[in-house]
Amino acid sequence: MSIISLRLKLRRLFKLRLNWSRSGYRSSSRIGQWFKWLAPGLLVKRWLLISAGGVLLTSLGLAIWTGMTPIFYILQLLRGFLEWITQIIPNSVSGPLLILAGLLFVFWGQSRSFNSITQVFTPEGDQELVDRLLALRRLNRGPKIVVIGGGTGLSTLLRGLKDYSANITAIVTVADDGGSSGRLRREIGVLPPGDIRNCLAALADEEKLLTELFQYRFRAGDGLTGHSFGNLFLTAMGEVTGDLERAIAASSKVLAIRGQVLPATLSDVHLWAKLEDGRRIHGESSITEARGKIVKIGCTPANPPALPKAINAIQEADLIIIGPGSLYTSVIPNLLVPEITEAIAQRQVPRIYVCNVMTQPGETDNYSVADHIRAIDDACGHQLFDAVLVQGKVPPAQALIRYAQEDSHPVFIDREAVKELGRRMVLTNIIEVDSDTGYVRHNSKRLAQVLLRWYSRV
């Protein structure tokens, strides 16, 4: 036998074995999918048993109603048929064969039924129905999490948390007055939808497509230029439903989001800040542009009423997360609503603040971790959290150079000062560098994992 012919035979043998292993893997995978339906908590087995019981009860009722006559003749016919079968094939062989045939029919029928249902709920075929049901049960049993903040930091966190729980409530600031949200606020008189739009997109199942759609900004059109589609969508929904709260609820159903997004208040809130040099700046976007050290921040009207659903969510929460986000223009505005701060202060559940990684020019120049904590304590008058999550690893040198050009630097970690403020520090590595912009961002998955791991250990 030549070497070439030997190679050809070995190659054919390898291909044949590979095909066997693939078919065996597919078979074992299909059997594994069947056994998943027996997993606890799916609420499938009990209903199948109840259905089988219903068939038996129906048959018994029919037999009693008709005086057993049809059942008697059917049993007699079945007995004659079985006797005829056993005369041809011994019962030691025919019995097991019929049992096997019956089981095959049951599995075939159930498999085809579930496949038909799966095609309805997962038309793209990217996930088995049982896997989707198991994931849904797991998410519905997740902890009740309340996240308070605004800006891109909040939506980044929500993007990671939604893989661990469907019981998420995002409480969002409505003090934004810049960009598309500010224009809609001034021209139409609606509450700013920008941060709410980002949170809805982050919590949606089809997040990538919805994010692109909601973030799309019109580049032409009289009055449309610069507006994002998501802002216009929420504004139109508010006109249809009557107010922003109903608009968010209706949009949440349309987008099939996990959890809920709530504005901190429905009042038309405007921020103001008193700077160290004595200036008093009005407007969220103007505060950062003033480039001064903030010594006091407040809002007009003072003490706005909280949304009742937001208070209920806080009272039922298992975990409360504050931040991340711009300290004075995204996080603290929510805490200027007295009912929200009082509700958080009264809760005895794990509460944690996610500190920013870099300082923000015009807001937190030269701030340390302890400075962020003091700013929150001074603004609301309560100690709202027990721990603070801090990025422990310094960002890459290339990112630091880019930030230094904008007068931004890593937030200084002053352990002793944080300890004196009665807070525990959770040091971790939760950042990544955006390849397009070069800026540092929280990694949504790692951030969610660290927070939930900390929550499970508290």
Side-chain angles (χ1 to χ4, degrees), residues 148-149 170-174 196 261-267 269 304-308 310-311 333-337 339-340:
I148 301 169
I171 299 177
V172 187
T173 175
V174 287
I196 295 170
V261 180
L262 302 174
T265 178
L266 292 179
S267 298
V269 174
L307 189 72
I311 302 301
N334 294 287
L335 307 178
L336 296 178
V337 182
E339 292 172 293
I340 288 181

Side-chain angles (χ1 to χ4, degrees), residues 168-304:
I168 303 172
T169 299
I171 299 177
V172 187
T173 175
V174 287
D176 187 12
D177 63 359
S180 172
S181 294
R183 287 173 56 191
L184 290 171
R185 189 174 188 178
R186 290 187 297 271
E187 294 171 7
I188 304 179
V190 297
L191 292 178
D195 289 344
I196 295 170
R197 173 201 76 213
N198 291 332
C199 293
L200 288 173
L203 289 175
D205 277 340
E206 299 294 334
E207 178 207 328
K208 186 177 185 300
L209 178 61
L210 280 173
T211 299
E212 293 178 359
L213 178 63
F214 267 45
Q215 303 290 27
Y216 174 78
R217 292 188 181 274
F218 293 92
R219 298 180 178 87
D222 187 16
L224 285 176
T225 305
H227 278 303
S228 69
F229 172 81
N231 286 353
L232 297 178
F233 177 84
L234 284 172
T235 301
M237 190 68 80
E239 293 290 329
V240 171
T241 58
D243 59 38
L244 182 61
E245 181 184 0
R246 294 176 183 173
I248 297 171
S251 302
S252 300
K253 291 180 181 179
V254 172
L255 303 176
I257 73 166
R258 298 178 190 171
Q260 60 179 344
V261 180
L262 302 174
T265 178
L266 292 179
S267 298
D268 188 17
V269 174
H270 295 267
L271 289 181
W272 59 263
K274 185 177 180 182
L275 307 185
E276 191 176 41
D277 58 12
R279 287 181 294 164
R280 185 183 175 98
I281 308 299
H282 292 270
E284 179 262 347
S285 57
S286 302
I287 292 173
T288 304
E289 295 172 358
R291 295 290 180 133
K293 181 176 177 57
I294 300 170
V295 295
K296 187 176 179 60
I297 191 163
C299 65
T300 305
N303 304 324

Side-chain angles (χ1 to χ4, degrees), residues 5-264:
S5 62
L6 179 62
R7 285 180 179 175
L8 289 173
K9 288 186 177 181
L10 288 174
R11 188 175 299 172
R12 291 194 192 101
L13 180 63
F14 175 76
K15 287 183 178 179
L16 182 61
R17 182 159 187 169
L18 182 62
N19 291 333
W20 284 349
S21 63
R22 285 176 177 174
S23 62
Y25 173 77
R26 284 194 294 267
S27 300
S28 62
S29 176
R30 174 55 56 187
I31 293 172
Q33 290 294 330
W34 286 344
F35 276 103
K36 282 183 180 180
W37 288 102
L38 302 178
L42 276 182
L43 304 179
V44 172
K45 301 182 295 297
R46 67 188 68 178
W47 304 122
L48 290 176
L49 289 173
I50 288 175
S51 298
V55 172
L56 290 175
L57 288 175
T58 303
S59 301
L60 180 60
L62 183 63
I64 295 172
W65 188 20
T66 59
M68 297 290 291
T69 305
I71 302 297
F72 174 77
Y73 285 119
I74 291 173
L75 291 176
Q76 288 292 102
L77 181 63
L78 182 61
R79 181 179 177 181
F81 176 73
L82 292 177
E83 288 178 352
W84 176 72
I85 288 290
T86 54
Q87 290 175 1
I88 300 174
I89 306 174
N91 57 1
S92 59
V93 177
S94 59
L97 284 177
L98 286 174
I99 292 173
L100 181 61
L103 290 176
L104 287 175
F105 273 112
V106 170
F107 277 113
W108 183 36
Q110 292 296 322
S111 176
R112 296 299 298 176
S113 298
F114 287 128
N115 284 342
S116 299
I117 297 172
T118 300
Q119 290 175 3
V120 174
F121 288 100
T122 56
E124 297 179 359
D126 58 342
Q127 188 180 28
E128 292 283 348
L129 178 61
V130 64
D131 293 324
R132 178 163 290 196
L133 288 175
L134 286 170
L136 183 62
R137 295 291 296 176
R138 176 180 59 82
L139 292 172
N140 288 337
R141 291 176 176 176
K144 295 179 180 179
I145 306 172
V146 169
V147 187
I148 301 169
T152 57
L154 180 59
S155 57
T156 299
L157 173 57
L158 294 176
R159 197 170 289 114
L161 287 177
K162 74 176 183 181
D163 290 333
Y164 297 92
S165 177
N167 303 310
I168 303 172
T169 299
I171 299 177
V172 187
T173 175
V174 287
D176 187 12
D177 63 359
S180 172
S181 294
R183 287 173 56 191
L184 290 171
R185 189 174 188 178
R186 290 187 297 271
E187 294 171 7
I188 304 179
V190 297
L191 292 178
D195 289 344
I196 295 170
R197 173 201 76 213
N198 291 332
C199 293
L200 288 173
L203 289 175
D205 277 340
E206 299 294 334
E207 178 207 328
K208 186 177 185 300
L209 178 61
L210 280 173
T211 299
E212 293 178 359
L213 178 63
F214 267 45
Q215 303 290 27
Y216 174 78
R217 292 188 181 274
F218 293 92
R219 298 180 178 87
D222 187 16
L224 285 176
T225 305
H227 278 303
S228 69
F229 172 81
N231 286 353
L232 297 178
F233 177 84
L234 284 172
T235 301
M237 190 68 80
E239 293 290 329
V240 171
T241 58
D243 59 38
L244 182 61
E245 181 184 0
R246 294 176 183 173
I248 297 171
S251 302
S252 300
K253 291 180 181 179
V254 172
L255 303 176
I257 73 166
R258 298 178 190 171
Q260 60 179 344
V261 180
L262 302 174

Side-chain angles (χ1 to χ4, degrees), residues 306-325:
L307 189 72
K309 284 186 178 180
I311 302 301
N312 292 337
I314 294 172
Q315 292 173 343
E316 297 175 359
D318 299 316
L319 169 64
I320 298 175
I321 304 171
I322 300 174

